[in-house]
Amino acid sequence: MSRPKIRLFVDHPLGPGQTVPLSREQANYLFNVMRLSVGAEVAVFNGSEGEWRATVIEAGKRAGTLDCVEQIAPQQRPPDLWLLFAPIKKARTDFIVEKAVELGAARICPVQTDFTNAERIRQDRLQAHAVEAAEQCLGTYVPPVDDLRKLSDLLADWPEDRHLVFADESLLGARESLAAAPEAEKWAILIGPEGGFSPQERERLRALPFVTPISLGPRILRADTAAVAALTLWQSERGDWR
Amino acid sequence: MSRPKIRLFVDHPLGPGQTVPLSREQANYLFNVMRLSVGAEVAVFNGSEGEWRATVIEAGKRAGTLDCVEQIAPQQRPPDLWLLFAPIKKARTDFIVEKAVELGAARICPVQTDFTNAERIRQDRLQAHAVEAAEQCLGTYVPPVDDLRKLSDLLADWPEDRHLVFADESLLGARESLAAAPEAEKWAILIGPEGGFSPQERERLRALPFVTPISLGPRILRADTAAVAALTLWQSERGDWR
């Protein structure tokens, strides 16, 4: 039996014979947009119990119910890597969230730095974006997206067993710079805004015992490119691309 | 003296005292949008002679002239790496071109594969996009963007001294897989369309003496993510991020 083409994230327990109610948006998508009816198959995942084949047992205009049949993929869990980034323009912020899901970040933390323009974010919209990215890329894990926090506050009560890397343009040697970080179980990557970090932030970061500066090559990268490049570099050196 | 904020690509020789005519679009941008006038400073580069400080000596509504003052940055040249990719949706294709410029590809080659939807591309628009990416990211090199070609034709007269890598989902170990490629001076990365390569393409690629399959981790990546991840991996292992 082939894998169902449509994949849905549901905030509900999954198991053999488990019925799963659909949200209004999901019912609209399945029955009005995709024109599925009773008996059709979809794949569902809830972020903790793997991916399941499910059958439509009720199909209404504004509601519907699925019935879980069997697990078709195990639950994935990415390495314990947080991505901290300063929100930039809307499209590029959406992009960073999408790419963080695809590249296996465990948690997404928007941070306000000295040179960040954004005063607030739409956390619910970014979280929905993360769900959509997981649905489309065959992921079973959806990283939580935090509310915007000040970088200085986050650093003030940082868990010291979590190692933090940030891109420093003055360095050379991408792999070598990451190799200088200690062995650690828990990690975070910090990406600054387009204007970079302020001198004060840079100085503070360098002085912290749990921080290692890394290089992302000799060219100036946009913040969104830097996020993808840093996630790739980390996954290939320290994560699950090995 | 600080570096001028506005950077322009010009298709014209640069040198001390060299006058440089502006295109109609550039004159409009400088004098109508940015409201510069005679005496203002901009930075110019032509892709081969570095970056120069230049002064506005004529400012009209539809035309204008600059005078080159002094070189302020040397010409960059990225490693000899081509990026071959199958065009996807417009916004994501634009994105791949932008990221290829930022991450230091020497040439951008859109290719038509068995599962590529695009029949043609707007080469001029993609080239303009590459110029804009270089202007915004302080680059002095603009990779040429080729016209769309069939992958099969390109492989049929491939220069055998250029080593080609492509992402193969069945592999594990990103760095290890790239380490299996031989030493080479000239390189290319091939990224397939969202639907992947056809079985015939995959078989042909594997059989070619100048091709190495590489891994991009255990998750399914979109084509645009794969392009950025592969460029990052290559630059850090074989390129100028070392």
Side-chain angles (χ1 to χ4, degrees):
Chain A
M1 243 174 158
S2 70
R3 201 164 176 161
K5 288 223 172 85
I6 296 176
R7 302 181 80 243
L8 288 182
F9 174 84
V10 292
D11 188 11
H12 199 272
L14 301 175
Q18 174 75 54
T19 55
V20 179
L22 293 170
S23 70
R24 186 169 172 153
E25 292 73 28
Q26 288 173 331
N28 180 56
Y29 173 68
L30 291 187
F31 311 130
N32 298 331
V33 180
M34 301 306 291
R35 302 189 169 273
L36 299 192
S37 49
V38 169
E41 287 198 332
V42 297
V44 290
F45 63 102
N46 63 4
S48 60
E49 294 173 297
E51 178 171 349
W52 290 71
R53 184 191 307 279
T55 310
V56 175
I57 54 173
E58 281 181 298
K61 288 212 169 174
R62 295 184 193 83
T65 311
L66 303 177
D67 182 35
C68 273
V69 181
E70 53 167 353
Q71 196 181 29
I72 53 176
Q75 179 60 39
Q76 301 163 344
R77 185 153 281 277
D80 191 351
L81 171 68
W82 297 357
L83 177 67
L84 280 62
F85 76 99
I88 41 178
K89 276 187 251 170
K90 183 175 164 297
R92 291 187 190 267
T93 298
D94 289 353
F95 171 87
I96 289 177
V97 169
E98 175 185 301
K99 295 322 180 205
V101 176
E102 281 181 62
L103 294 168
R107 183 168 173 176
I108 298 173
C109 318
V111 293
Q112 200 173 2
T113 67
D114 289 349
F115 295 163
T116 304
N117 284 321
E119 302 266 306
R120 55 174 171 263
I121 56 160
R122 286 279 310 271
Q123 185 276 339
D124 57 337
R125 220 179 51 79
L126 294 182
Q127 186 67 67
H129 221 71
V131 166
E132 203 182 311
E135 285 175 345
Q136 292 190 8
C137 293
L138 305 186
T140 52
Y141 178 81
V142 180
V145 180
D146 289 351
D147 254 324
L148 187 65
R149 283 191 67 189
K150 279 194 180 159
L151 177 62
S152 52
D153 294 350
L154 209 61
L155 292 178
D157 45 64
W158 187 262
E160 298 228 348
D161 61 340
R162 182 171 298 275
H163 200 78
L164 177 69
V165 298
F166 76 105
D168 186 323
E169 283 154 20
S170 66
L171 287 176
L172 286 177
R175 272 181 59 194
E176 294 78 356
S177 62
L178 185 52
E183 289 295 313
E185 292 286 311
K186 302 174 182 177
W187 289 84
I189 292 169
L190 168 63
I191 301 294
E194 299 283 317
F197 296 105
S198 70
Q200 293 79 1
E201 281 170 337
R202 212 170 273 277
E203 203 173 311
R204 180 170 182 202
L205 284 166
R206 282 170 194 279
L208 289 167
F210 51 82
V211 170
T212 299
I214 61 164
S215 160
L216 292 177
R219 291 169 207 86
I220 310 283
L221 304 181
R222 282 180 189 270
D224 57 346
T225 319
V228 177
L231 286 163
T232 300
L233 191 68
W234 187 88
Q235 287 286 18
S236 65
E237 293 292 318
R238 301 290 186 122
D240 65 8
W241 290 26
R242 289 174 297 178
Chain B
M1 243 175 160
S2 70
R3 200 164 176 161
K5 287 224 172 85
I6 296 176
R7 304 180 79 243
L8 287 182
F9 174 84
V10 293
D11 188 12
H12 198 272
L14 301 175
Q18 174 76 53
T19 56
V20 179
L22 294 169
S23 71
R24 184 169 174 155
E25 292 74 29
Q26 288 173 329
N28 180 56
Y29 173 67
L30 291 187
F31 310 130
N32 299 331
V33 180
M34 300 306 290
R35 301 190 169 274
L36 299 192
S37 49
V38 169
E41 288 198 332
V42 297
V44 291
F45 63 101
N46 63 6
S48 61
E49 294 173 298
E51 178 171 350
W52 290 71
R53 184 192 306 282
T55 311
V56 174
I57 56 173
E58 281 181 297
K61 288 212 169 175
R62 293 185 195 84
T65 310
L66 304 176
D67 183 34
C68 273
V69 180
E70 53 168 352
Q71 196 181 30
I72 52 177
Q75 178 60 40
Q76 301 162 342
R77 185 154 280 279
D80 192 352
L81 171 68
W82 297 356
L83 177 67
L84 281 61
F85 76 100
I88 41 179
K89 276 188 250 168
K90 184 175 163 299
R92 291 187 190 266
T93 298
D94 289 354
F95 170 88
I96 289 177
V97 169
E98 174 186 300
K99 297 319 179 206
V101 175
E102 281 180 62
L103 294 168
R107 184 169 172 174
I108 298 172
C109 318
V111 293
Q112 200 174 3
T113 67
D114 288 349
F115 294 163
T116 305
N117 285 321
E119 301 267 304
R120 54 174 172 263
I121 55 160
R122 284 280 309 269
Q123 185 277 335
D124 57 337
R125 219 179 51 80
L126 293 182
Q127 185 67 66
H129 221 69
V131 165
E132 202 182 311
E135 286 174 343
Q136 294 190 6
C137 294
L138 306 184
T140 51
Y141 178 81
V142 180
V145 180
D146 290 350
D147 254 323
L148 187 65
R149 284 191 67 190
K150 279 195 179 157
L151 176 62
S152 51
D153 294 351
L154 209 61
L155 292 177
D157 45 65
W158 188 262
E160 299 226 349
D161 62 340
R162 182 171 296 276
H163 200 77
L164 178 68
V165 298
F166 77 104
D168 186 322
E169 283 152 21
S170 65
L171 286 176
L172 286 176
R175 273 181 58 192
E176 293 77 357
S177 63
L178 185 51
E183 290 294 314
E185 293 284 310
K186 302 175 183 176
W187 289 83
I189 292 169
L190 169 63
I191 301 294
E194 299 283 317
F197 297 106
S198 70
Q200 295 78 0
E201 281 171 337
R202 213 169 273 276
E203 203 173 311
R204 182 171 180 199
L205 284 166
R206 282 171 194 278
L208 288 167
F210 50 84
V211 170
T212 299
I214 61 165
S215 160
L216 293 176
R219 291 169 208 85
I220 310 283
L221 304 181
R222 280 180 190 270
D224 57 347
T225 319
V228 176
L231 286 163
T232 299
L233 191 69
W234 187 88
Q235 287 287 17
S236 66
E237 292 292 317
R238 301 292 185 119
D240 65 8
W241 291 26
R242 288 174 299 178

